[in-house]
């Protein structure tokens, strides 16, 4: 098939006349961003984007009853469409088999998309008299792809293998930087394999190509690609393995929806994918953070209702005014400390409803609980009563999935929620707990259901994928309006089912030697999944310990990765014994709910380490940059101001939060040495030429939550404003006082005096005692003569 040159005008043309219900030659769809050519006879297609990216000679492959069933096309048609993602032109094809199985595919080209959005989807319809056994379906099976910014001929951008951000597993993503040349040569072939999404970026031009699943309800999403140095992309596949699932006579199976995008902004491609996941979800996406305390790192299995209430008293005093309102009881509240029977044990003698009422009446808090609804211990009443509800091994027996990690170490099984009775049981568990006034659920160990060797009784289910989807639906059904958080659930199944979700390792107790690797992993996951947050769901991090055993630098990094990622705030220490310094650091991360974060070095490091947020409130806008060093030795980190979309020639005041250090008035860029396994947080504000606020010690974003008013009056030389925090805390705000100005101190001092503390140079601080939550202030200044220039040294 001849690949068409890019057509800048919108085209929907049939390049030959219709023959026998089909189209006799290539058909073309095009707009200002992308051109598609489809061969109606074979179903092959090629796409070329405006900046040169391309996918060529892509086919659809569907396997049923052990054979490929894509045959001659019996229907090909172009038409306009409108769906949840927008409007445009669609090419639709249908293939039929003698056995009565029909395959339908739609390729959609969207108008007005800045990323050149194309989607592929379809369905398998069994119109025959008997069930069909499904195998592998490939919505995309392409032999060539390129990244662009060169000629669209073979070999373009083929000298350097691209970097990739990809779904490393079902539950999280990873970065594969572009390989480093050895003796001027790159590896002969680079392989990319993962799940959910692959975003490629050319390290020379910056051009990007993204392939990602926006919806996959019926089978695990898989992606594979290969890049040959000197040739370019030589293979690209989007696969779904149905693992022998049967499609009954008369039934229809919807295939996944895959998005294709290309252009100069891979970040926009990823955020477009996140938006598409939310828009195409079976259930409305749920977003927005919460703030809570979790009992796990504080008490493990010694947790009790008395300890919950004691910690709630501390939480209400120090964190309640900043938004913390949930006390979540982790593993250890349920009978026998095992999974399966979700009723309270002897450490909660008054029951959950009583505890929820006491939390509310005494402290204004809500109750949350940890539940592992699909994990069933052999010693539980549930297993003893319903062993037939468990997933099975190939011999048809309940499969031992693992041994429980804690005493009494029973064998554990997984529920088969493709069985209606088992799914109803899961929904009933959450319905009952919600009736006991539990308003937050932390759901654990459900990822085990995706293990494909655990077989459901229902042959019409895809092992692993369908089972977990039924579980998540049952949880959502039973929990009602409660806030639901999944631990290690695939993103595509979490949309709409969860309010929040995280993938990756636990963050572990703070200060444990040799465990920094878990923070490194969590930092990478939070960076690479930035595009999911507040789109598909609220992205989370494992509950965060900040206890005294951790160094100050470790505690700073723990706080920073959670807060700058805009995750929910979830503390997990014994609050009664935390020192004031740690309580203060935790307060500096609250309230939850920050602007979106973007990792600027997303394609450059396995652990992206330069995170940018753009706070904007009713009074000003500025940049915050989190610099992270996940290595065990000092490292240089920095950012160019043009990377932030700022004027490279303008002057910016840069203030570092943790050290409360003014880095100066800078042009072009900022760079500093970050200690090992630590973080630094920069506020970057454009210099106004007058006295101005450049930072606070109240919140890591340095003004976003606390600054409610800010005004410079050039006529009266006064700077005024209002901060809002919480009564009972002391804080500081930092001001740049440029040459030619000075705070106006009256002698003797009066209520109208400046009342600033000189820190150093042109940095001044206002010390605030919040007797109430609001603090209004006015600072007078006066103009002064600039200091004389230094005398020249004599020759």
């Amino acid at each position: 098939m001849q690949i068409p040159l890019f057509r800048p005008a919108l085209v929907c043309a049939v390049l030959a006349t219709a023959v026998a219900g089909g189209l006799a030659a290539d058909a073309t769809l095009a707009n200002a961003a992308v051109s598609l050519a489809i061969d109606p006879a074979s179903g092959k297609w090629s796409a070329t984007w405006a900046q040169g990216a391309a996918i060529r000679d892509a086919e659809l492959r569907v396997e049923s009853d052990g054979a490929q069933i894509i045959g001659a096309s019996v229907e090909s048609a172009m038409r306009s469409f409108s769906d949840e993602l927008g409007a445009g032109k669609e090419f639709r094809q249908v293939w039929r088999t003698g056995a009565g199985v029909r395959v339908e595919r739609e390729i959609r080209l969207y108008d007005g998309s800045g990323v050149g959005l194309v989607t592929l989807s379809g369905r398998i319809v069994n119109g025959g008299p008997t069930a069909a056994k499904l195998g592998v379906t490939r919505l995309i099976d392409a032999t060539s792809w390129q990244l662009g910014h060169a000629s669209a001929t073979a070999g373009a951008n083929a000298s350097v293998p691209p970097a990739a951000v990809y779904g490393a597993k079902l539950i999280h993503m990873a970065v594969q930087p572009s390989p480093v040349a050895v003796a001027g040569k790159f590896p002969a072939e680079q392989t990319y394999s993962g799940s959910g999404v692959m975003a490629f970026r050319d390290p020379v031009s910056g051009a990007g190509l993204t392939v990602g699943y926006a919806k996959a309800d019926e089978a695990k999403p898989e992606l594979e690609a290969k890049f040959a140095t000197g040739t370019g992309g030589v293979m690209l596949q989007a696969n779904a393995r149905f693992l022998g699932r049967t499609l009954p006579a008369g039934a229809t199976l919807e295939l996944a929806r895959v998005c294709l995008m290309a252009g100069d902004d891979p970040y926009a491609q990823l955020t477009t994918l996140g938006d598409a996941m939310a828009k195409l979800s079976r259930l409305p996406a749920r977003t927005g953070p919460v703030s809570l305390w979790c009992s796990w790192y504080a008490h493990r299995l010694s947790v009790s209702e008395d300890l919950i209430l004691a910690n709630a008293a501390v939480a209400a005093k120090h964190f309640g005014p900043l938004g913390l309102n949930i006390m979540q009881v982790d593993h250890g509240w349920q009978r026998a400390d095992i999974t399966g029977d979700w009723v309270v044990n002897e450490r909660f003698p008054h029951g959950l409803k009583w505890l929820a009422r006491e939390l509310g009446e005494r402290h204004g808090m809500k109750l949350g609980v940890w539940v592992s609804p699909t994990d069933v211990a052999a010693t539980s009443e549930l297993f003893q009563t319903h062993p037939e509800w468990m997933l099975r091994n190939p011999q048809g027996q309940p499969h031992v999935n693992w041994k429980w990690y804690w005493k009494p170490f029973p064998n554990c099984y997984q529920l088969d929620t493709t069985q209606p009775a088992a799914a109803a049981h899961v929904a009933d568990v959450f319905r009952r707990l919600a009736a006991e006034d539990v308003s937050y659920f932390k759901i654990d160990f459900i990822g085990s259901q995706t293990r494909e060797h655990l077989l459901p009784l229902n042959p019409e289910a895809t092992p692993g994928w369908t089972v977990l989807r039924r579980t998540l639906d049952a949880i959502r059904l039973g929990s009602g309006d409660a806030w639901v958080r999944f631990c290690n659930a695939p993103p595509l199944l979490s949309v709409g089912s969860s309010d929040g979700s995280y993938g990756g390792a636990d963050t572990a107790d703070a200060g444990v030697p040799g465990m920094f690797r878990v923070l490194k992993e969590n930092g990478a996951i939070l960076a690479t999944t930035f595009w999911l947050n507040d789109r598909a769901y609220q992205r989370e991090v494992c509950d965060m310990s900040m206890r005294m055993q951790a160094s100050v630098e470790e505690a700073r990094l723990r706080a920073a990765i959670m807060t700058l990622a805009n995750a929910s705030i979830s503390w997990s220490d014994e609050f009664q014994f935390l020192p004031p310094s740690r309580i203060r650091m935790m307060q500096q991360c609250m309230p939850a709910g920050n602007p979106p974060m973007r990792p600027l070095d997303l394609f450059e490091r396995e652990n992206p380490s330069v995170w940018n947020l753009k706070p904007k409130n009713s009074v000003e806008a500025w940049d915050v940059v989190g610099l992270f060093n996940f290595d065990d030795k000092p490292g240089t980190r920095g950012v160019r101001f043009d990377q932030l979309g700022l004027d490279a020639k303008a002057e910016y005041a840069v203030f570092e939060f943790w050290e409360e250090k003014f880095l100066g008035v800078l042009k072009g860029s900022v760079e500093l040495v970050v200690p090992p396994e630590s973080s630094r947080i920069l506020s970057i504000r454009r210099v106004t030429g007058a006295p101005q606020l450049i930072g606070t010690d109240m919140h890591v974003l340095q003004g976003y939550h606390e600054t409610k008013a800010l005004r410079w009056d050039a006529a009266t030389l006064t700077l005024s404003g209002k901060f809002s925090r919480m009564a009972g805390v002391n804080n500081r705000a930092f001001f740049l006082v440029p040459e030619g100005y000075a705070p106006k101190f009256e002698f003797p001092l009066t209520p109208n005096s400046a009342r600033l503390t000189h820190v150093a140079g042109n940095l001044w601080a206002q010390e605030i005692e919040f007797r109430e939550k609001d603090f209004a202030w006015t600072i007078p200044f006066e103009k002064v003569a600039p200091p004389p220039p230094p005398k020249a040294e004599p020759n």
Side-chain angles (χ1 to χ4, degrees):
M1 177 174 60
Q2 179 66 37
I3 301 165
L5 295 176
F6 177 73
R7 294 170 171 79
L10 177 64
V11 178
C12 180
V14 179
L15 302 183
T17 58
V19 177
L23 301 173
D26 283 3
T28 302
L29 301 174
N31 59 26
V34 59
S35 178
L36 279 167
I38 306 103
D39 179 1
S42 67
K44 281 189 176 183
W45 58 271
S46 294
T48 304
W49 281 267
Q51 86 328 341
I55 297 174
R56 300 185 180 90
D57 293 332
E59 297 182 85
L60 169 68
R61 297 184 182 275
V62 177
E63 185 181 48
S64 176
D65 293 324
Q68 293 293 326
I69 61 174
I70 297 298
S73 175
V74 297
E75 179 184 338
S76 298
M78 289 187 186
R79 59 190 181 187
S80 298
F81 75 89
S82 178
D83 65 13
E84 297 88 344
L85 306 184
K89 299 294 181 182
E90 169 189 273
F91 193 87
R92 182 177 184 274
Q93 289 182 289
V94 178
W95 291 265
R96 302 182 188 274
T97 70
V101 176
R102 185 171 80 249
V103 178
E104 303 173 357
R105 182 188 66 186
E106 292 93 25
I107 304 178
R108 291 182 171 180
L109 172 64
Y110 291 80
D111 298 333
S113 168
V115 294
L117 179 61
V118 176
T119 69
L120 288 88
S121 60
R123 63 205 53 82
I124 303 172
V125 182
N126 186 0
T130 60
K133 192 171 185 179
L134 303 180
V136 176
T137 292
R138 289 178 181 162
L139 267 173
I140 302 173
D141 190 357
T143 58
S144 175
W145 54 277
Q146 304 290 162
L147 289 183
H149 278 308
S151 163
T153 60
N157 293 89
S159 59
V160 183
V165 173
Y166 65 100
K169 299 178 182 178
L170 287 175
I171 56 175
H172 66 80
M173 295 180 62
V175 180
Q176 187 168 326
S178 183
V180 177
V182 178
K185 296 182 179 180
F186 290 96
E189 186 174 89
Q190 190 77 17
T191 299
Y192 308 85
S193 179
S195 175
V197 60
M198 283 186 179
F200 299 101
R201 181 175 180 266
D202 180 67
V204 178
S205 68
L209 171 68
T210 297
V211 182
Y213 286 80
K215 187 174 184 179
D217 290 342
E218 301 297 338
K220 181 175 72 173
E222 296 179 348
L223 293 168
E224 293 187 46
K226 288 184 180 179
F227 185 97
T229 302
T231 302
V234 293
M235 184 267 277
L236 179 63
Q237 294 179 349
N239 304 326
R241 294 183 299 118
F242 289 105
L243 302 170
R245 173 176 175 172
T246 61
L247 185 63
T252 297
L253 178 73
E254 290 292 331
L255 299 176
R257 178 78 71 92
V258 177
C259 294
L260 308 174
M261 296 163 279
D264 293 330
D265 190 349
Y267 293 92
Q269 295 162 32
L270 285 167
T271 56
T272 298
L273 179 61
D275 287 332
M277 289 169 63
K279 293 174 181 177
L280 295 174
S281 172
R282 296 176 299 110
L283 301 171
R286 306 165 72 97
T287 58
V290 293
S291 295
L292 62 114
W293 174 84
C294 167
S295 68
W296 183 244
Y297 293 124
H299 299 293
R300 295 297 203 279
L301 297 182
S302 66
V303 64
S304 68
E305 62 184 31
D306 290 340
L307 287 170
I308 298 298
L309 291 170
N311 276 270
V314 181
K317 177 181 178 180
H318 293 295
F319 306 113
L322 298 176
L324 192 150
N325 65 347
I326 298 168
M327 302 298 290
Q328 183 245 305
V329 190
D330 214 271
H331 171 34
W333 67 270
Q334 76 281 12
R335 185 164 68 196
D337 295 334
I338 59 168
T339 54
D341 301 334
W342 301 105
V343 294
V344 294
N345 60 30
E346 66 281 358
R347 295 188 293 274
F348 293 81
H350 295 93
L352 295 179
K353 195 174 186 70
W354 176 89
L355 181 57
R357 184 180 70 247
E358 292 297 302
L359 286 171
E361 292 179 356
R362 295 191 202 180
H363 307 298
M365 297 283 174
K366 300 176 182 178
L367 176 63
V369 298
W370 171 94
V371 187
S372 181
T374 64
D375 198 278
V376 182
T379 53
S380 68
E381 180 181 336
L382 178 61
F383 184 77
Q384 298 299 320
T385 306
H386 291 290
E388 75 279 7
W389 286 357
M390 305 304 133
L391 290 167
R392 299 173 179 273
N393 59 29
Q395 290 73 43
Q397 300 301 314
H399 182 82
V400 177
N401 192 41
W402 54 30
K403 276 191 176 292
W404 191 231
Y405 298 122
W406 300 276
K407 291 181 181 179
F409 309 113
N411 288 333
C412 288
Y413 303 85
Q414 287 284 308
L415 274 177
D416 176 8
T417 45
T418 66
Q419 298 185 46
H425 166 78
V426 171
D428 287 344
V429 166
F430 286 90
R431 194 176 289 113
R432 174 175 53 81
L433 292 172
E436 296 181 59
D437 294 334
V438 176
S439 57
Y440 176 98
F441 293 104
K442 175 184 174 182
I443 315 299
D444 210 352
F445 294 127
I446 52 175
S448 296
Q449 284 192 325
T450 61
R451 296 176 180 175
E452 294 166 356
H453 65 278
L454 303 179
L455 303 179
L457 196 63
N458 183 358
E460 298 170 16
T462 304
W465 200 254
T466 307
V467 182
L468 182 55
R469 178 168 60 82
R470 300 278 178 87
T471 295
L472 304 189
D473 287 349
I475 293 171
R476 186 76 265 171
L477 177 65
S479 59
D481 291 330
W483 212 93
V484 175
R485 170 191 183 185
F486 293 155
C487 304
N488 289 329
L492 281 164
L493 294 185
S494 298
V495 188
S497 298
S498 72
D499 296 82
S501 186
Y502 83 84
D506 290 354
T507 52
D509 304 79
V512 177
M515 289 296 289
F516 187 82
R517 58 179 175 79
V518 300
L519 298 178
K520 189 172 184 178
E521 177 182 328
N522 273 276
I525 293 168
L526 288 168
T528 53
T529 57
F530 79 94
W531 50 280
L532 289 168
N533 204 44
D534 269 345
R535 291 182 171 87
Y537 45 76
Q538 176 66 34
R539 188 191 38 164
E540 304 286 279
V541 66
C542 173
D543 311 287
M544 193 65 74
S545 168
M546 295 281 286
R547 67 185 191 178
M548 301 84 80
Q549 288 91 328
S551 69
V552 170
E553 293 292 9
E554 180 188 330
R556 287 172 172 175
L557 185 137
R558 284 174 168 271
I561 61 173
M562 179 169 63
T563 310
L564 296 186
N566 192 25
S568 290
I569 301 298
S570 178
W571 305 121
S572 187
D573 282 306
E574 171 49 81
F575 276 174
Q576 297 179 87
F577 307 121
L578 281 179
S581 61
R582 289 297 156 94
I583 288 176
R584 178 180 175 83
M585 190 182 296
M586 294 155 72
Q587 289 173 332
Q588 290 172 318
C589 300
M590 302 177 71
N594 299 323
M597 179 273 288
R598 174 178 289 192
L600 301 182
D601 54 347
L602 178 63
F603 293 89
E604 299 164 17
R605 288 190 178 96
E606 291 183 7
N607 274 86
S609 301
V610 183
W611 299 6
N612 177 221
L613 296 84
K614 292 187 170 294
K616 181 179 181 181
N617 54 25
S618 61
V619 296
E620 62 170 340
W622 65 102
D623 278 86
V624 167
V625 176
L627 302 177
F628 295 93
N629 183 0
F630 294 102
D631 300 327
D632 58 2
K633 56 186 176 182
T636 301
R637 300 288 185 272
V639 63
R640 300 191 320 272
F641 294 158
D642 61 358
Q643 290 178 278
L644 307 175
L646 303 179
D647 184 350
K649 298 180 180 179
E651 293 184 328
Y652 294 88
V654 183
F655 187 81
E656 200 286 311
F657 179 80
W658 291 129
E659 299 288 299
E660 298 183 358
K661 184 177 181 181
F662 180 47
L663 301 184
V665 173
L666 305 177
K667 283 185 178 181
S669 65
V670 59
E671 187 175 88
L672 65 158
V673 175
V674 181
E677 299 177 350
S678 67
S679 70
R680 293 293 182 262
I681 302 175
L682 308 181
S683 161
I684 302 175
R685 286 170 159 94
R686 187 160 184 165
V687 170
T688 65
Q692 66 182 104
L693 177 73
I694 61 170
T696 82
D697 68 353
M698 303 176 208
H699 189 278
V700 297
L701 297 190
Q702 306 180 62
Y704 180 68
H705 293 283
E706 62 267 30
T707 306
K708 304 302 179 183
L710 188 65
R711 180 175 180 268
W712 167 251
D713 189 328
T716 62
L717 300 182
T718 57
L719 185 65
S720 60
K722 182 172 77 172
F723 296 127
S724 184
R725 199 63 182 142
M726 62 176 278
V729 297
N730 297 326
N731 288 107
R732 296 205 295 174
F734 299 93
F735 298 89
L736 171 65
V737 181
E739 288 186 2
Y741 292 91
K744 185 176 182 180
F745 290 92
E746 297 174 341
F747 183 81
L749 289 177
T750 71
N752 296 324
S753 285
R755 297 195 178 185
L756 292 182
T757 299
H758 192 194
V759 180
N762 50 6
L763 179 67
W764 294 72
Q766 179 186 39
E767 301 189 24
I768 304 165
E769 181 182 350
F770 281 94
R771 297 178 180 177
E772 301 176 346
K773 72 179 184 67
D774 293 329
F775 179 82
W777 50 272
T778 299
I779 302 173
F781 292 88
E782 58 185 348
K783 288 190 174 181
V784 297
K791 293 182 179 180
E793 294 289 335
N795 294 329

